[in-house]
Amino acid sequence: MPDTFGRAEFEKAAAYIRARSAHRPTVGVVLGSGLNPLAEEIAQADVIPYEEIPYFPAATVEGHVGRLLLGLLQGMPVLVMQGRVHYYEGYSMQQVTFPVRVMRTLGVHTLILTNAAGGLNPAFRAGDLMLITDHINLMGMTGLNPLRGPNDPALGPRFPDMSKVYDPGLRRLALRVAGELNIPLQQGVYIGLAGPTFETPADIRFLRLIGADAVGMSTVPEAIVARHGSMRVLGISGISNVAIAEADAAGEASHEEVLEAGRLLVPRLTALLRGILAELARQQP
Ligand code: HPA
């Protein structure tokens, strides 16, 4: 499999998906670790395993199913990724973000990114939802930017603006819907690390110091590529564990803990996403 792609590959994958489903979604949803049960609620779903889509990266981590679903949620045609791939799995940044390019090629203009994240903000508890207001691209600052390499101006600009990655209108909508449904919704800055190691207590103190509220191993590359292609992005983290900032503290971070918290987070996240999609359906022309 090539580790960089261009329009020919995006078109080929998009054509394959178009041939497998009559749905023409304009909203995409990426479901993060342990959050994928939402996909079971999609009506009239066409289900395509990632392996069958040309060039699509296959999910390798427990808790990531690896299927694309096209169907209806709250009457809104959606394209849902049940599981994503991460850089730490050995994929290039272009492979990690390939599905976002394909969504854009398919006409998706609104992308909802979800993830499981560690809480850095001392006010956060496991089971909280956090609306992402902004991100820190720590992996990109050290060279792992998905836009590294030749730029195709037909896809987006060489130096894309990142001053409003998480669409202000979508954020207002999410806050309003959460308020109406009585779903507690924290807000904060997500910081993306490459993983797969969890952070040391010293890492955690550093991440807090530089202004991050939640830490994870995904989302940032996808949000960057989506913005490069002028998509509107909404990001929601499910706080699956609170980060440990003191050396020698009791307790350890584990993937099982992340998946277990996902089970608690799913009902809240599902209700919030349903509410948001119902509003987006109402705003359709
Ligand atoms: N750190 C990094 N990524 C994560 C965490 C964490 O504590 N929890 C879920 N994803």
Side-chain angles (χ1 to χ4, degrees):
M1 189 194 280
D3 61 5
T4 59
F5 304 100
R7 266 181 285 161
E9 288 80 20
F10 308 143
E11 298 282 356
K12 195 166 165 192
Y16 180 84
I17 295 164
R18 265 191 219 110
R20 290 277 302 260
S21 177
H23 294 293
R24 295 291 175 260
T26 56
V27 176
V29 182
V30 180
L31 297 174
S33 294
L35 304 177
N36 56 61
L38 174 67
E40 315 298 341
E41 305 196 10
I42 298 168
Q44 299 171 34
D46 296 312
V47 181
I48 314 175
Y50 294 165
E51 299 82 55
E52 295 175 11
I53 306 169
Y55 312 110
F56 233 70
T60 70
V61 190
E62 197 199 337
H64 288 267
V65 179
R67 306 192 305 174
L68 198 66
L69 293 94
L70 291 89
L72 302 175
L73 259 180
Q74 303 294 123
M76 190 75 189
V78 287
L79 181 156
V80 174
M81 286 184 63
Q82 199 178 20
R84 60 152 62 83
V85 303
H86 309 77
Y87 180 76
Y88 63 73
E89 292 171 71
Y91 292 112
S92 70
M93 280 296 181
Q94 283 79 12
Q95 288 172 317
V96 166
T97 54
F98 181 79
V100 177
R101 296 286 192 200
V102 174
M103 284 191 236
R104 187 73 191 90
T105 307
L106 285 167
V108 170
H109 55 60
T110 299
L111 181 61
I112 302 177
L113 298 171
T114 72
N115 59 55
L120 297 167
N121 186 318
F124 291 0
R125 297 287 167 265
D128 281 353
L129 292 178
M130 184 190 89
L131 180 66
I132 303 179
T133 56
D134 200 355
H135 71 221
I136 300 176
N137 181 14
L138 196 60
M139 30 185 168
M141 287 177 193
T142 53
L144 294 177
N145 195 301
L147 303 183
R148 179 174 178 270
N151 185 62
D152 179 351
L155 299 176
R158 171 76 289 185
F159 300 107
D161 175 64
M162 290 286 142
S163 64
K164 288 183 226 46
V165 176
Y166 301 90
D167 187 77
L170 289 177
R171 279 192 278 132
R172 274 195 299 275
L173 175 68
L175 288 168
R176 178 160 62 77
V177 169
E180 285 164 5
L181 299 177
N182 259 319
I183 300 170
L185 185 58
Q186 306 275 14
Q187 299 190 66
V189 173
Y190 177 92
I191 189 160
L193 275 62
T197 44
F198 287 113
E199 300 72 37
T200 66
D203 287 332
I204 295 297
R205 295 194 298 275
F206 165 71
L207 299 178
R208 279 185 179 159
L209 203 61
I210 62 175
D213 296 291
V215 55
M217 306 173 192
S218 68
T219 303
V220 170
E222 295 152 22
I224 287 172
V225 166
R227 286 305 302 144
H228 185 242
S230 298
M231 295 164 90
R232 297 200 301 167
V233 178
L234 179 71
I236 302 171
S237 290
I239 303 300
S240 58
N241 54 291
V242 290
I244 297 164
E246 309 87 35
D248 307 322
E252 287 180 6
S254 73
H255 191 54
E256 288 67 38
E257 177 186 36
V258 172
L259 297 183
E260 177 58 38
R263 283 184 275 279
L264 297 173
L265 285 159
V266 160
R268 282 183 178 180
L269 182 67
T270 301
L272 181 60
L273 287 182
R274 278 186 175 282
I276 291 168
L277 288 168
E279 280 298 316
L280 289 177
R282 215 164 290 148
Q283 291 174 8
Q284 290 265 94

